[in-house]
Every structure is written in structure tokens, then in C-alpha cells.
Amino acid sequence: MKAAVFHKIGDISVDNVPDPIIEQPRDTIIRVTSTAICGSDLHIYDGFFPQLRDQVMGHEFMGIIEEVGSGVNNLKKGDRVVVPFPIACGNCYFCSHGLQPHCENSNPDHYGPEGDMLSGRGAALFGYTDLYGGYAGGQAEYVRVPFSDYSLRKVPDHLTDEQVLFLTDIFPTGWSAIDWGNVKGGETVAIFGSGPVGLMAQKAAWIRGAARVIAIDPVNYRLDRARRVNKVETLNPHEVDVIEAIYEMTGGRGADVCVDAVGVEAERTVLDKVKAVVNLEKGSIKALEMCFQAVRRGGTVSVVGVYGSPYDNFPIHRLVDKGIAIRFGQAPVQNYIDELIGLIQDGKVVLDDIISHTLPLAEASRGYEMFKKKEDDCVKVVLKP
Ligand SMILES: NC(=O)c1ccc[n+]([C@@H]2O[C@H](COP(=O)([O-])OP(=O)(O)OC[C@H]3O[C@@H](n4cnc5c(N)ncnc54)[C@H](O)[C@@H]3O)[C@@H](O)[C@H]2O)c1
Ligand SMILES: [Zn+2]
Ligand SMILES: [Zn+2]
């Protein structure tokens, strides 16, 4: 079959690889009909998450069941399904506490409690390096889904792939950010990053009753899209002092909830880059620092942006002085997905308005390049195998 294969930093190509087969009774093989490129894929592409051997990319995908293992009783060949990106067994301590990205059974070789850079990582994720389980991802014609009886969700025929594809990751991720921020109604929510994840967090903030949603991004076309599809207020750090602007908009207090939907690959100045070299730091925590500044005293910072390595000069003093609550993590997609399918079916949210490009899988490497370099006003790339 054809698949988008990571070879080395900056090198992803569509190659012929062996078809997946059923390996465990709870496995299912899916024929992928739609898959997307994520900001998290860029962290592998750009070398922030190390991967030494070839690996089929992709953790946002859906399709039609081709074959089911002998242990799967709730699914059958021909079912149309979406696939949550964390691989989770459904039975262990963490799965039964709604913490599927920490499943004890999907990443046996590299799992552990300490969460270090090269050992003791969390649950497996599709197509997300050997440290996260080494499973082939879904930017491919076919994919093997472990523990499929627990994770897969059937989707109604009348909804298009594009309407439901983002249930696999970015909508539940944006939802997690807002849920972790305890948004209950009336809050001012400032969302740093207006890429696909930021756009989904904006949608979630409105649904959960935020009074004001402010999107921050240095790239104007992404802010244009945010205003157009989500009717949010926007701030560009190249044009205004974002922190001052947020204080001004909130009576000098700051936002009730700040979301980091940027992660380690935040835009940096030359000075930031020099500082990172001096401190032996990879990437940047710029967006996180801005969240700590922009949030009000006693507020919450919700971090769905991904960070892969330690960082010195962490502004711990500000957390103490302002009494900030923080939440970090990968989204527990399986917890939220049923409620979120309901929102789509009831017409309470539209997700496909963030798609800027649809390409054949064969053009995956162009898709990666365009998404990374923000060419042609690229926001979200959907690939069709
Ligand atoms: N926690 C999870 O479960 C989960 C799931 C999916 C993605 N993610 C992570 O979310 C992050 C965003 O993903 P995405 O797909 O939207 O990627 P993306 O790279 O398209 O979006 C990041 C956006 O942040 C903007 N940005 C850069 N520096 C900024 C700054 N200082 N302030 C404000 N905005 C800034 C960029 O211009 C870009 O629009 C990534 O780190 C990704 O790994 C996490
Ligand atoms: Zn993703
Ligand atoms: Zn589990």
C-alpha cells in the first residue's frame, strides 16, 4: 500500500510499504478515506521528537472497516468509523479514570511513570515515534487499529468525512483546553495560536458560554480565518503589545483563562534564539510565558501545545505570585468524543470550515511543506488516499 513515511528531519515521502495485518484479537484494519496533517506531526518532521527509523505518519484519520479481529464483537466490515489518536486499552487504571493518553497497556516498551525524554513515556499514539509505541499511522491507504472495540466510533452516513474527521484529535483537543480551563459561562478566554487547534478551542469556548474569545497569532491570514469562521476578536503580536492589549480589554485584570495552542515551535526573535542556545534549550516556551502574563490572578492556563524537552528559566515566580492553576497534556479523546459527535449532529458546531487544502495522499510531502511554511494561506490539510 501507499503511505506517507518519515525518513529523517524534513523528509517525508509517499512510499510503498507492506499492508497492515490483524496482529491481536482486538485489532481492526481500516481502509482510510480521509486523514489530516497536524501541528504535532510537524514536531516529528522538524526533529523536536526524535525518530531514528522509518515510520508511517498520521494520527488523524477515519475510514471504512476492512477486517475485524476475532475479539471484536461490536464492529463489522463496512462500518464507517473515526479513530481517536491515543491508543488505549479501555481496561487499565488510567483508562478507567478517563486518562486514556496514559493507558498502561499500549506502549509496553517505553511506558512508565516518570515521563522523561527518552523513557517512561505515556500511552502509544498513532504514527508518533517509537517512544510513543512505534505504531504505523493513518496517513496511508490502510491502518491497523489496536483495542478497536474500545476506541472506534461509528459515524452517521449523512455526515461527510470533513464534518467528522476532526473528532479524531483537534476538536477534542480544543475542547480539553476549555474543559480544563473550567469555562462555565461568562469568562474571557484568550487563545494563543490560531492554527487548527486554536481554531477548535475558539469554537469550544463559545459553546461552553465564554463571554469573550480573543485569538492571538503572529500570522494575519490565520487571524482572518478566526474572525471569519469563529467571530472572535484577534490580536497580532507583530502589531500590538498583546499582554497590554489583553489587560486593557479586561479592566486591567487579565483573561480568566488562557490557552496555549502553540507549543514548542513558537515564533522566536533572534534574541530568543540566542537565549535558547545559552540555556541549552530546544524550541521555545514563548507562548506559555505569554499565557502566564496574560492570565488574571487566580486564573487558569490550559496547555494543549506540545513540548518535548526540559526548559530552564521557567517563570515559576509568576505562577506563585499570581496563584495560577495550570493543566497540560494530550487530549483524552475517548472521554469527550460521544458528546462531541452529538454537537455536530445537532448542528451546534461546524468543523470543516478550517480546511484550506485537500490533496491526494500522493502529495503528502507537498502538504507538509505548505503547512509548515504557511504557504498559500494554509491552515489545515486533508489528504485523500
Ligand atoms: N495536546 C494535544 O492533545 C494536542 C493535539 C493536537 C495538537 N497539539 C499541539 O497543538 C499545537 C498547535 O497545533 P496546530 O495543529 O494548531 O499547529 P500550527 O503549528 O498550525 O499552529 C500553531 C500556531 O501558533 C502560532 N504562533 C507561533 N508563535 C506564537 C506566539 N508566540 N503566540 C501566538 N501564536 C503563535 C503560529 O503562527 C500558528 O498559527 C502543537 O504544539 C501541537 O503539537 C496538541
Ligand atoms: Zn493531531
Ligand atoms: Zn488502558
mmCIF file with all atom_site columns, all heavy atoms in Angstrom, residues 82-107:
data_model
loop_
_atom_site.group_PDB
_atom_site.id
_atom_site.type_symbol
_atom_site.label_atom_id
_atom_site.label_alt_id
_atom_site.label_comp_id
_atom_site.label_asym_id
_atom_site.label_entity_id
_atom_site.label_seq_id
_atom_site.pdbx_PDB_ins_code
_atom_site.Cartn_x
_atom_site.Cartn_y
_atom_site.Cartn_z
_atom_site.occupancy
_atom_site.B_iso_or_equiv
_atom_site.pdbx_formal_charge
_atom_site.auth_seq_id
_atom_site.auth_comp_id
_atom_site.auth_asym_id
_atom_site.auth_atom_id
_atom_site.pdbx_PDB_model_num
ATOM 1   N N   . VAL A 1 82  ? -14.536 6.819  12.961 1.00 0.00 ? 82  VAL A N   1
ATOM 2   C CA  . VAL A 1 82  ? -13.443 7.736  13.273 1.00 0.00 ? 82  VAL A CA  1
ATOM 3   C C   . VAL A 1 82  ? -12.588 7.108  14.374 1.00 0.00 ? 82  VAL A C   1
ATOM 4   O O   . VAL A 1 82  ? -13.083 6.306  15.168 1.00 0.00 ? 82  VAL A O   1
ATOM 5   C CB  . VAL A 1 82  ? -13.937 9.135  13.716 1.00 0.00 ? 82  VAL A CB  1
ATOM 6   C CG1 . VAL A 1 82  ? -14.526 9.897  12.540 1.00 0.00 ? 82  VAL A CG1 1
ATOM 7   C CG2 . VAL A 1 82  ? -14.945 9.050  14.855 1.00 0.00 ? 82  VAL A CG2 1
ATOM 8   N N   . VAL A 1 83  ? -11.304 7.511  14.415 1.00 0.00 ? 83  VAL A N   1
ATOM 9   C CA  . VAL A 1 83  ? -10.322 6.835  15.269 1.00 0.00 ? 83  VAL A CA  1
ATOM 10  C C   . VAL A 1 83  ? -9.648  7.843  16.212 1.00 0.00 ? 83  VAL A C   1
ATOM 11  O O   . VAL A 1 83  ? -8.926  8.713  15.748 1.00 0.00 ? 83  VAL A O   1
ATOM 12  C CB  . VAL A 1 83  ? -9.224  6.173  14.397 1.00 0.00 ? 83  VAL A CB  1
ATOM 13  C CG1 . VAL A 1 83  ? -8.289  5.334  15.260 1.00 0.00 ? 83  VAL A CG1 1
ATOM 14  C CG2 . VAL A 1 83  ? -9.824  5.353  13.270 1.00 0.00 ? 83  VAL A CG2 1
ATOM 15  N N   . PRO A 1 84  ? -9.892  7.765  17.527 1.00 0.00 ? 84  PRO A N   1
ATOM 16  C CA  . PRO A 1 84  ? -9.178  8.654  18.466 1.00 0.00 ? 84  PRO A CA  1
ATOM 17  C C   . PRO A 1 84  ? -7.662  8.440  18.390 1.00 0.00 ? 84  PRO A C   1
ATOM 18  O O   . PRO A 1 84  ? -7.208  7.301  18.251 1.00 0.00 ? 84  PRO A O   1
ATOM 19  C CB  . PRO A 1 84  ? -9.712  8.225  19.840 1.00 0.00 ? 84  PRO A CB  1
ATOM 20  C CG  . PRO A 1 84  ? -11.041 7.596  19.556 1.00 0.00 ? 84  PRO A CG  1
ATOM 21  C CD  . PRO A 1 84  ? -10.856 6.898  18.219 1.00 0.00 ? 84  PRO A CD  1
ATOM 22  N N   . PHE A 1 85  ? -6.883  9.541  18.504 1.00 0.00 ? 85  PHE A N   1
ATOM 23  C CA  . PHE A 1 85  ? -5.427  9.392  18.313 1.00 0.00 ? 85  PHE A CA  1
ATOM 24  C C   . PHE A 1 85  ? -4.690  8.686  19.454 1.00 0.00 ? 85  PHE A C   1
ATOM 25  O O   . PHE A 1 85  ? -3.678  8.033  19.202 1.00 0.00 ? 85  PHE A O   1
ATOM 26  C CB  . PHE A 1 85  ? -4.769  10.739 17.963 1.00 0.00 ? 85  PHE A CB  1
ATOM 27  C CG  . PHE A 1 85  ? -4.537  11.664 19.128 1.00 0.00 ? 85  PHE A CG  1
ATOM 28  C CD1 . PHE A 1 85  ? -3.359  11.598 19.873 1.00 0.00 ? 85  PHE A CD1 1
ATOM 29  C CD2 . PHE A 1 85  ? -5.471  12.622 19.488 1.00 0.00 ? 85  PHE A CD2 1
ATOM 30  C CE1 . PHE A 1 85  ? -3.138  12.456 20.948 1.00 0.00 ? 85  PHE A CE1 1
ATOM 31  C CE2 . PHE A 1 85  ? -5.257  13.487 20.556 1.00 0.00 ? 85  PHE A CE2 1
ATOM 32  C CZ  . PHE A 1 85  ? -4.086  13.397 21.291 1.00 0.00 ? 85  PHE A CZ  1
ATOM 33  N N   . PRO A 1 86  ? -5.130  8.745  20.726 1.00 0.00 ? 86  PRO A N   1
ATOM 34  C CA  . PRO A 1 86  ? -4.409  7.950  21.734 1.00 0.00 ? 86  PRO A CA  1
ATOM 35  C C   . PRO A 1 86  ? -4.822  6.474  21.632 1.00 0.00 ? 86  PRO A C   1
ATOM 36  O O   . PRO A 1 86  ? -6.007  6.155  21.500 1.00 0.00 ? 86  PRO A O   1
ATOM 37  C CB  . PRO A 1 86  ? -4.896  8.541  23.069 1.00 0.00 ? 86  PRO A CB  1
ATOM 38  C CG  . PRO A 1 86  ? -5.629  9.815  22.732 1.00 0.00 ? 86  PRO A CG  1
ATOM 39  C CD  . PRO A 1 86  ? -6.168  9.603  21.347 1.00 0.00 ? 86  PRO A CD  1
ATOM 40  N N   . ILE A 1 87  ? -3.854  5.589  21.683 1.00 0.00 ? 87  ILE A N   1
ATOM 41  C CA  . ILE A 1 87  ? -4.148  4.153  21.631 1.00 0.00 ? 87  ILE A CA  1
ATOM 42  C C   . ILE A 1 87  ? -4.326  3.680  23.074 1.00 0.00 ? 87  ILE A C   1
ATOM 43  O O   . ILE A 1 87  ? -3.399  3.773  23.880 1.00 0.00 ? 87  ILE A O   1
ATOM 44  C CB  . ILE A 1 87  ? -3.023  3.372  20.915 1.00 0.00 ? 87  ILE A CB  1
ATOM 45  C CG1 . ILE A 1 87  ? -2.820  3.950  19.503 1.00 0.00 ? 87  ILE A CG1 1
ATOM 46  C CG2 . ILE A 1 87  ? -3.348  1.881  20.871 1.00 0.00 ? 87  ILE A CG2 1
ATOM 47  C CD1 . ILE A 1 87  ? -1.698  3.288  18.706 1.00 0.00 ? 87  ILE A CD1 1
ATOM 48  N N   . ALA A 1 88  ? -5.528  3.208  23.397 1.00 0.00 ? 88  ALA A N   1
ATOM 49  C CA  . ALA A 1 88  ? -5.859  2.952  24.800 1.00 0.00 ? 88  ALA A CA  1
ATOM 50  C C   . ALA A 1 88  ? -6.682  1.676  24.924 1.00 0.00 ? 88  ALA A C   1
ATOM 51  O O   . ALA A 1 88  ? -7.559  1.404  24.112 1.00 0.00 ? 88  ALA A O   1
ATOM 52  C CB  . ALA A 1 88  ? -6.641  4.133  25.369 1.00 0.00 ? 88  ALA A CB  1
ATOM 53  N N   . CYS A 1 89  ? -6.387  0.900  25.996 1.00 0.00 ? 89  CYS A N   1
ATOM 54  C CA  . CYS A 1 89  ? -6.985  -0.440 26.129 1.00 0.00 ? 89  CYS A CA  1
ATOM 55  C C   . CYS A 1 89  ? -8.414  -0.426 26.642 1.00 0.00 ? 89  CYS A C   1
ATOM 56  O O   . CYS A 1 89  ? -9.188  -1.336 26.394 1.00 0.00 ? 89  CYS A O   1
ATOM 57  C CB  . CYS A 1 89  ? -6.109  -1.297 27.044 1.00 0.00 ? 89  CYS A CB  1
ATOM 58  S SG  . CYS A 1 89  ? -6.276  -0.915 28.811 1.00 0.00 ? 89  CYS A SG  1
ATOM 59  N N   . GLY A 1 90  ? -8.746  0.611  27.437 1.00 0.00 ? 90  GLY A N   1
ATOM 60  C CA  . GLY A 1 90  ? -10.104 0.676  27.974 1.00 0.00 ? 90  GLY A CA  1
ATOM 61  C C   . GLY A 1 90  ? -10.284 -0.040 29.311 1.00 0.00 ? 90  GLY A C   1
ATOM 62  O O   . GLY A 1 90  ? -11.337 0.088  29.941 1.00 0.00 ? 90  GLY A O   1
ATOM 63  N N   . ASN A 1 91  ? -9.280  -0.771 29.771 1.00 0.00 ? 91  ASN A N   1
ATOM 64  C CA  . ASN A 1 91  ? -9.450  -1.572 30.993 1.00 0.00 ? 91  ASN A CA  1
ATOM 65  C C   . ASN A 1 91  ? -8.538  -1.191 32.150 1.00 0.00 ? 91  ASN A C   1
ATOM 66  O O   . ASN A 1 91  ? -8.823  -1.530 33.290 1.00 0.00 ? 91  ASN A O   1
ATOM 67  C CB  . ASN A 1 91  ? -9.163  -3.053 30.712 1.00 0.00 ? 91  ASN A CB  1
ATOM 68  C CG  . ASN A 1 91  ? -9.952  -3.581 29.548 1.00 0.00 ? 91  ASN A CG  1
ATOM 69  O OD1 . ASN A 1 91  ? -11.107 -3.207 29.373 1.00 0.00 ? 91  ASN A OD1 1
ATOM 70  N ND2 . ASN A 1 91  ? -9.330  -4.419 28.724 1.00 0.00 ? 91  ASN A ND2 1
ATOM 71  N N   . CYS A 1 92  ? -7.425  -0.528 31.874 1.00 0.00 ? 92  CYS A N   1
ATOM 72  C CA  . CYS A 1 92  ? -6.416  -0.329 32.925 1.00 0.00 ? 92  CYS A CA  1
ATOM 73  C C   . CYS A 1 92  ? -6.838  0.792  33.886 1.00 0.00 ? 92  CYS A C   1
ATOM 74  O O   . CYS A 1 92  ? -7.874  1.427  33.705 1.00 0.00 ? 92  CYS A O   1
ATOM 75  C CB  . CYS A 1 92  ? -5.061  -0.001 32.285 1.00 0.00 ? 92  CYS A CB  1
ATOM 76  S SG  . CYS A 1 92  ? -4.979  1.648  31.541 1.00 0.00 ? 92  CYS A SG  1
ATOM 77  N N   . TYR A 1 93  ? -6.004  1.034  34.887 1.00 0.00 ? 93  TYR A N   1
ATOM 78  C CA  . TYR A 1 93  ? -6.283  2.094  35.877 1.00 0.00 ? 93  TYR A CA  1
ATOM 79  C C   . TYR A 1 93  ? -6.563  3.424  35.182 1.00 0.00 ? 93  TYR A C   1
ATOM 80  O O   . TYR A 1 93  ? -7.548  4.107  35.466 1.00 0.00 ? 93  TYR A O   1
ATOM 81  C CB  . TYR A 1 93  ? -5.083  2.237  36.839 1.00 0.00 ? 93  TYR A CB  1
ATOM 82  C CG  . TYR A 1 93  ? -5.235  3.398  37.787 1.00 0.00 ? 93  TYR A CG  1
ATOM 83  C CD1 . TYR A 1 93  ? -5.890  3.239  39.011 1.00 0.00 ? 93  TYR A CD1 1
ATOM 84  C CD2 . TYR A 1 93  ? -4.762  4.670  37.448 1.00 0.00 ? 93  TYR A CD2 1
ATOM 85  C CE1 . TYR A 1 93  ? -6.067  4.311  39.876 1.00 0.00 ? 93  TYR A CE1 1
ATOM 86  C CE2 . TYR A 1 93  ? -4.938  5.754  38.302 1.00 0.00 ? 93  TYR A CE2 1
ATOM 87  C CZ  . TYR A 1 93  ? -5.594  5.575  39.505 1.00 0.00 ? 93  TYR A CZ  1
ATOM 88  O OH  . TYR A 1 93  ? -5.774  6.639  40.347 1.00 0.00 ? 93  TYR A OH  1
ATOM 89  N N   . PHE A 1 94  ? -5.650  3.808  34.263 1.00 0.00 ? 94  PHE A N   1
ATOM 90  C CA  . PHE A 1 94  ? -5.774  5.138  33.653 1.00 0.00 ? 94  PHE A CA  1
ATOM 91  C C   . PHE A 1 94  ? -6.973  5.225  32.715 1.00 0.00 ? 94  PHE A C   1
ATOM 92  O O   . PHE A 1 94  ? -7.693  6.224  32.722 1.00 0.00 ? 94  PHE A O   1
ATOM 93  C CB  . PHE A 1 94  ? -4.463  5.534  32.961 1.00 0.00 ? 94  PHE A CB  1
ATOM 94  C CG  . PHE A 1 94  ? -3.375  5.829  33.957 1.00 0.00 ? 94  PHE A CG  1
ATOM 95  C CD1 . PHE A 1 94  ? -2.384  4.898  34.229 1.00 0.00 ? 94  PHE A CD1 1
ATOM 96  C CD2 . PHE A 1 94  ? -3.373  7.019  34.663 1.00 0.00 ? 94  PHE A CD2 1
ATOM 97  C CE1 . PHE A 1 94  ? -1.403  5.166  35.174 1.00 0.00 ? 94  PHE A CE1 1
ATOM 98  C CE2 . PHE A 1 94  ? -2.398  7.303  35.617 1.00 0.00 ? 94  PHE A CE2 1
ATOM 99  C CZ  . PHE A 1 94  ? -1.405  6.371  35.876 1.00 0.00 ? 94  PHE A CZ  1
ATOM 100 N N   . CYS A 1 95  ? -7.192  4.180  31.901 1.00 0.00 ? 95  CYS A N   1
ATOM 101 C CA  . CYS A 1 95  ? -8.369  4.210  31.023 1.00 0.00 ? 95  CYS A CA  1
ATOM 102 C C   . CYS A 1 95  ? -9.649  4.312  31.838 1.00 0.00 ? 95  CYS A C   1
ATOM 103 O O   . CYS A 1 95  ? -10.574 5.044  31.478 1.00 0.00 ? 95  CYS A O   1
ATOM 104 C CB  . CYS A 1 95  ? -8.408  2.980  30.121 1.00 0.00 ? 95  CYS A CB  1
ATOM 105 S SG  . CYS A 1 95  ? -7.193  3.045  28.787 1.00 0.00 ? 95  CYS A SG  1
ATOM 106 N N   . SER A 1 96  ? -9.694  3.594  32.969 1.00 0.00 ? 96  SER A N   1
ATOM 107 C CA  . SER A 1 96  ? -10.939 3.635  33.734 1.00 0.00 ? 96  SER A CA  1
ATOM 108 C C   . SER A 1 96  ? -11.078 4.919  34.551 1.00 0.00 ? 96  SER A C   1
ATOM 109 O O   . SER A 1 96  ? -12.122 5.158  35.153 1.00 0.00 ? 96  SER A O   1
ATOM 110 C CB  . SER A 1 96  ? -11.108 2.381  34.600 1.00 0.00 ? 96  SER A CB  1
ATOM 111 O OG  . SER A 1 96  ? -9.966  2.192  35.369 1.00 0.00 ? 96  SER A OG  1
ATOM 112 N N   . HIS A 1 97  ? -10.032 5.754  34.578 1.00 0.00 ? 97  HIS A N   1
ATOM 113 C CA  . HIS A 1 97  ? -10.155 7.074  35.197 1.00 0.00 ? 97  HIS A CA  1
ATOM 114 C C   . HIS A 1 97  ? -10.214 8.191  34.149 1.00 0.00 ? 97  HIS A C   1
ATOM 115 O O   . HIS A 1 97  ? -9.925  9.359  34.459 1.00 0.00 ? 97  HIS A O   1
ATOM 116 C CB  . HIS A 1 97  ? -8.996  7.319  36.169 1.00 0.00 ? 97  HIS A CB  1
ATOM 117 C CG  . HIS A 1 97  ? -9.122  6.537  37.439 1.00 0.00 ? 97  HIS A CG  1
ATOM 118 N ND1 . HIS A 1 97  ? -8.844  5.190  37.513 1.00 0.00 ? 97  HIS A ND1 1
ATOM 119 C CD2 . HIS A 1 97  ? -9.538  6.903  38.682 1.00 0.00 ? 97  HIS A CD2 1
ATOM 120 C CE1 . HIS A 1 97  ? -9.062  4.767  38.749 1.00 0.00 ? 97  HIS A CE1 1
ATOM 121 N NE2 . HIS A 1 97  ? -9.491  5.780  39.467 1.00 0.00 ? 97  HIS A NE2 1
ATOM 122 N N   . GLY A 1 98  ? -10.528 7.843  32.909 1.00 0.00 ? 98  GLY A N   1
ATOM 123 C CA  . GLY A 1 98  ? -10.677 8.878  31.878 1.00 0.00 ? 98  GLY A CA  1
ATOM 124 C C   . GLY A 1 98  ? -9.370  9.511  31.448 1.00 0.00 ? 98  GLY A C   1
ATOM 125 O O   . GLY A 1 98  ? -9.343  10.643 30.976 1.00 0.00 ? 98  GLY A O   1
ATOM 126 N N   . LEU A 1 99  ? -8.271  8.778  31.620 1.00 0.00 ? 99  LEU A N   1
ATOM 127 C CA  . LEU A 1 99  ? -6.949  9.333  31.298 1.00 0.00 ? 99  LEU A CA  1
ATOM 128 C C   . LEU A 1 99  ? -6.284  8.480  30.211 1.00 0.00 ? 99  LEU A C   1
ATOM 129 O O   . LEU A 1 99  ? -5.174  7.969  30.378 1.00 0.00 ? 99  LEU A O   1
ATOM 130 C CB  . LEU A 1 99  ? -6.093  9.361  32.572 1.00 0.00 ? 99  LEU A CB  1
ATOM 131 C CG  . LEU A 1 99  ? -6.611  10.301 33.683 1.00 0.00 ? 99  LEU A CG  1
ATOM 132 C CD1 . LEU A 1 99  ? -5.961  9.977  35.026 1.00 0.00 ? 99  LEU A CD1 1
ATOM 133 C CD2 . LEU A 1 99  ? -6.360  11.756 33.313 1.00 0.00 ? 99  LEU A CD2 1
ATOM 134 N N   . GLN A 1 100 ? -6.974  8.352  29.075 1.00 0.00 ? 100 GLN A N   1
ATOM 135 C CA  . GLN A 1 100 ? -6.515  7.439  28.021 1.00 0.00 ? 100 GLN A CA  1
ATOM 136 C C   . GLN A 1 100 ? -5.115  7.746  27.477 1.00 0.00 ? 100 GLN A C   1
ATOM 137 O O   . GLN A 1 100 ? -4.404  6.804  27.078 1.00 0.00 ? 100 GLN A O   1
ATOM 138 C CB  . GLN A 1 100 ? -7.532  7.414  26.866 1.00 0.00 ? 100 GLN A CB  1
ATOM 139 C CG  . GLN A 1 100 ? -8.880  6.823  27.262 1.00 0.00 ? 100 GLN A CG  1
ATOM 140 C CD  . GLN A 1 100 ? -9.831  7.835  27.882 1.00 0.00 ? 100 GLN A CD  1
ATOM 141 O OE1 . GLN A 1 100 ? -9.501  9.007  28.044 1.00 0.00 ? 100 GLN A OE1 1
ATOM 142 N NE2 . GLN A 1 100 ? -11.025 7.384  28.228 1.00 0.00 ? 100 GLN A NE2 1
ATOM 143 N N   . PRO A 1 101 ? -4.658  9.016  27.425 1.00 0.00 ? 101 PRO A N   1
ATOM 144 C CA  . PRO A 1 101 ? -3.279  9.225  26.960 1.00 0.00 ? 101 PRO A CA  1
ATOM 145 C C   . PRO A 1 101 ? -2.224  8.667  27.924 1.00 0.00 ? 101 PRO A C   1
ATOM 146 O O   . PRO A 1 101 ? -1.027  8.793  27.666 1.00 0.00 ? 101 PRO A O   1
ATOM 147 C CB  . PRO A 1 101 ? -3.167  10.757 26.854 1.00 0.00 ? 101 PRO A CB  1
ATOM 148 C CG  . PRO A 1 101 ? -4.568  11.230 26.721 1.00 0.00 ? 101 PRO A CG  1
ATOM 149 C CD  . PRO A 1 101 ? -5.384  10.286 27.573 1.00 0.00 ? 101 PRO A CD  1
ATOM 150 N N   . HIS A 1 102 ? -2.679  8.072  29.028 1.00 0.00 ? 102 HIS A N   1
ATOM 151 C CA  . HIS A 1 102 ? -1.750  7.464  29.992 1.00 0.00 ? 102 HIS A CA  1
ATOM 152 C C   . HIS A 1 102 ? -1.992  5.971  30.144 1.00 0.00 ? 102 HIS A C   1
ATOM 153 O O   . HIS A 1 102 ? -1.509  5.356  31.106 1.00 0.00 ? 102 HIS A O   1
ATOM 154 C CB  . HIS A 1 102 ? -1.889  8.181  31.348 1.00 0.00 ? 102 HIS A CB  1
ATOM 155 C CG  . HIS A 1 102 ? -1.824  9.668  31.201 1.00 0.00 ? 102 HIS A CG  1
ATOM 156 N ND1 . HIS A 1 102 ? -0.636  10.332 31.006 1.00 0.00 ? 102 HIS A ND1 1
ATOM 157 C CD2 . HIS A 1 102 ? -2.810  10.599 31.120 1.00 0.00 ? 102 HIS A CD2 1
ATOM 158 C CE1 . HIS A 1 102 ? -0.890  11.629 30.841 1.00 0.00 ? 102 HIS A CE1 1
ATOM 159 N NE2 . HIS A 1 102 ? -2.191  11.809 30.888 1.00 0.00 ? 102 HIS A NE2 1
ATOM 160 N N   . CYS A 1 103 ? -2.716  5.381  29.184 1.00 0.00 ? 103 CYS A N   1
ATOM 161 C CA  . CYS A 1 103 ? -3.004  3.941  29.210 1.00 0.00 ? 103 CYS A CA  1
ATOM 162 C C   . CYS A 1 103 ? -1.733  3.135  29.482 1.00 0.00 ? 103 CYS A C   1
ATOM 163 O O   . CYS A 1 103 ? -0.687  3.375  28.890 1.00 0.00 ? 103 CYS A O   1
ATOM 164 C CB  . CYS A 1 103 ? -3.621  3.505  27.874 1.00 0.00 ? 103 CYS A CB  1
ATOM 165 S SG  . CYS A 1 103 ? -3.814  1.713  27.734 1.00 0.00 ? 103 CYS A SG  1
ATOM 166 N N   . GLU A 1 104 ? -1.874  2.139  30.382 1.00 0.00 ? 104 GLU A N   1
ATOM 167 C CA  . GLU A 1 104 ? -0.702  1.346  30.785 1.00 0.00 ? 104 GLU A CA  1
ATOM 168 C C   . GLU A 1 104 ? -0.363  0.227  29.806 1.00 0.00 ? 104 GLU A C   1
ATOM 169 O O   . GLU A 1 104 ? 0.673   -0.417 29.952 1.00 0.00 ? 104 GLU A O   1
ATOM 170 C CB  . GLU A 1 104 ? -0.963  0.717  32.160 1.00 0.00 ? 104 GLU A CB  1
ATOM 171 C CG  . GLU A 1 104 ? -1.087  1.736  33.261 1.00 0.00 ? 104 GLU A CG  1
ATOM 172 C CD  . GLU A 1 104 ? -1.607  1.118  34.560 1.00 0.00 ? 104 GLU A CD  1
ATOM 173 O OE1 . GLU A 1 104 ? -2.813  0.822  34.631 1.00 0.00 ? 104 GLU A OE1 1
ATOM 174 O OE2 . GLU A 1 104 ? -0.801  0.940  35.478 1.00 0.00 ? 104 GLU A OE2 1
ATOM 175 N N   . ASN A 1 105 ? -1.245  -0.036 28.845 1.00 0.00 ? 105 ASN A N   1
ATOM 176 C CA  . ASN A 1 105 ? -1.079  -1.258 28.050 1.00 0.00 ? 105 ASN A CA  1
ATOM 177 C C   . ASN A 1 105 ? -0.740  -1.075 26.571 1.00 0.00 ? 105 ASN A C   1
ATOM 178 O O   . ASN A 1 105 ? -0.533  -2.058 25.876 1.00 0.00 ? 105 ASN A O   1
ATOM 179 C CB  . ASN A 1 105 ? -2.347  -2.107 28.165 1.00 0.00 ? 105 ASN A CB  1
ATOM 180 C CG  . ASN A 1 105 ? -2.502  -2.652 29.576 1.00 0.00 ? 105 ASN A CG  1
ATOM 181 O OD1 . ASN A 1 105 ? -1.513  -3.048 30.199 1.00 0.00 ? 105 ASN A OD1 1
ATOM 182 N ND2 . ASN A 1 105 ? -3.705  -2.632 30.100 1.00 0.00 ? 105 ASN A ND2 1
ATOM 183 N N   . SER A 1 106 ? -0.695  0.154  26.067 1.00 0.00 ? 106 SER A N   1
ATOM 184 C CA  . SER A 1 106 ? -0.493  0.306  24.618 1.00 0.00 ? 106 SER A CA  1
ATOM 185 C C   . SER A 1 106 ? 0.960   0.574  24.228 1.00 0.00 ? 106 SER A C   1
ATOM 186 O O   . SER A 1 106 ? 1.323   0.458  23.067 1.00 0.00 ? 106 SER A O   1
ATOM 187 C CB  . SER A 1 106 ? -1.402  1.406  24.062 1.00 0.00 ? 106 SER A CB  1
ATOM 188 O OG  . SER A 1 106 ? -1.127  2.653  24.661 1.00 0.00 ? 106 SER A OG  1
ATOM 189 N N   . ASN A 1 107 ? 1.814   0.932  25.199 1.00 0.00 ? 107 ASN A N   1
ATOM 190 C CA  . ASN A 1 107 ? 3.201   1.302  24.879 1.00 0.00 ? 107 ASN A CA  1
ATOM 191 C C   . ASN A 1 107 ? 4.181   0.542  25.773 1.00 0.00 ? 107 ASN A C   1
ATOM 192 O O   . ASN A 1 107 ? 4.954   1.135  26.527 1.00 0.00 ? 107 ASN A O   1
ATOM 193 C CB  . ASN A 1 107 ? 3.359   2.826  25.065 1.00 0.00 ? 107 ASN A CB  1
ATOM 194 C CG  . ASN A 1 107 ? 4.714   3.342  24.630 1.00 0.00 ? 107 ASN A CG  1
ATOM 195 O OD1 . ASN A 1 107 ? 5.473   2.645  23.945 1.00 0.00 ? 107 ASN A OD1 1
ATOM 196 N ND2 . ASN A 1 107 ? 5.038   4.568  25.020 1.00 0.00 ? 107 ASN A ND2 1
#
